Amino acid sequence: TLNPKPSTSNLVANVSDILARIELLRNETLDSEHLASFSNSLDIAWVIMCGCLVFFMQAGFSLLEAGSVSQKNLTNILFKNIMDACISSICFWFIGYGIAFGKTYQGVVGSSNFFLSDIKNGVGGAAGDDGWAKWFFQWAFAGTSTTIVSGCVAERTRFEAYLLFAGAIST
């Protein structure tokens, strides 16, 4: 443990202790299995973090839309943006991911993996990545694209019609 007293001799002891620990870590070797597992975990964490950043774009688009509409429609616009996330997640889970990433039918459209039936933890892709992380990342884009369209049709459509459109675009 590091000594909290701020004297020079304690500082030298703490630095030498840290250097000794670094040398111990440097001497340890990771076998290829542990290194591949660690690399795979970092890849999954990176994909999830990027998906979160894309998803947070919805908040930015919501603020942009809120500033573009009249005050009487503000609640409606913000509720539409919340519903974008809900509708797009259900529709993308239900059919969208299967169409985009399922086994191809004549090289054009996916014909499997509806309801994410082929995704298992840790074996979602060809490289052994996590299929749920890939789904989350792709869903974030599907939901954000729906929110972009929400700004284009702000104050121009009925709520029920917009929900149908949001389901169609995120599929």
Side-chain angles (χ1 to χ4, degrees):
T1 63
L2 299 176
N3 193 344
K5 293 181 182 178
S7 68
T8 306
S9 61
N10 289 334
L11 180 63
V12 170
N14 288 341
V15 169
S16 62
D17 183 45
I18 290 171
L19 291 175
R21 288 179 188 204
I22 290 173
E23 190 61 35
L24 283 173
L25 289 173
R26 193 178 291 161
N27 291 334
E28 290 184 16
T29 58
L30 291 175
D31 58 354
S32 61
E33 181 182 325
H34 286 97
L35 192 57
S37 175
F38 180 70
S39 175
N40 189 30
S41 297
L42 281 178
D43 290 345
I44 290 170
W46 177 255
V47 168
I48 290 173
M49 186 184 76
C50 290
C52 289
L53 291 174
V54 172
F55 182 72
F56 283 134
M57 289 172 61
Q58 287 191 337
F61 288 126
S62 295
L63 294 175
L64 179 67
E65 291 173 35
S68 302
V69 299
S70 61
Q71 188 173 0
K72 68 177 184 164
N73 291 324
L74 182 62
T75 304
N76 186 28
I77 289 297
L78 294 177
F79 186 66
K80 277 184 182 178
N81 284 313
I82 290 172
M83 292 309 294
D84 281 341
C86 298
I87 296 293
S88 68
S89 64
I90 292 169
C91 291
F92 196 67
W93 167 77
F94 178 66
I95 195 169
Y97 190 80
I99 289 173
F101 296 101
K103 294 176 185 161
T104 61
Y105 176 73
Q106 298 181 355
V108 178
V109 66
S111 62
S112 67
N113 206 6
F114 300 110
F115 298 102
L116 302 179
S117 59
D118 296 342
I119 288 187
K120 315 246 182 325
N121 284 337
V123 292
D129 59 339
D130 188 55
W132 292 105
K134 183 178 178 183
W135 178 84
F136 175 74
F137 183 72
Q138 298 300 330
W139 164 74
F141 276 102
T144 301
S145 66
T146 306
T147 302
I148 292 170
V149 174
S150 169
C152 296
V153 298
E155 297 182 325
R156 294 180 179 90
T157 59
R158 293 183 48 93
F159 182 69
E160 297 82 9
Y162 178 74
L163 289 181
L164 290 174
F165 180 73
I169 198 170
S170 61
T171 302

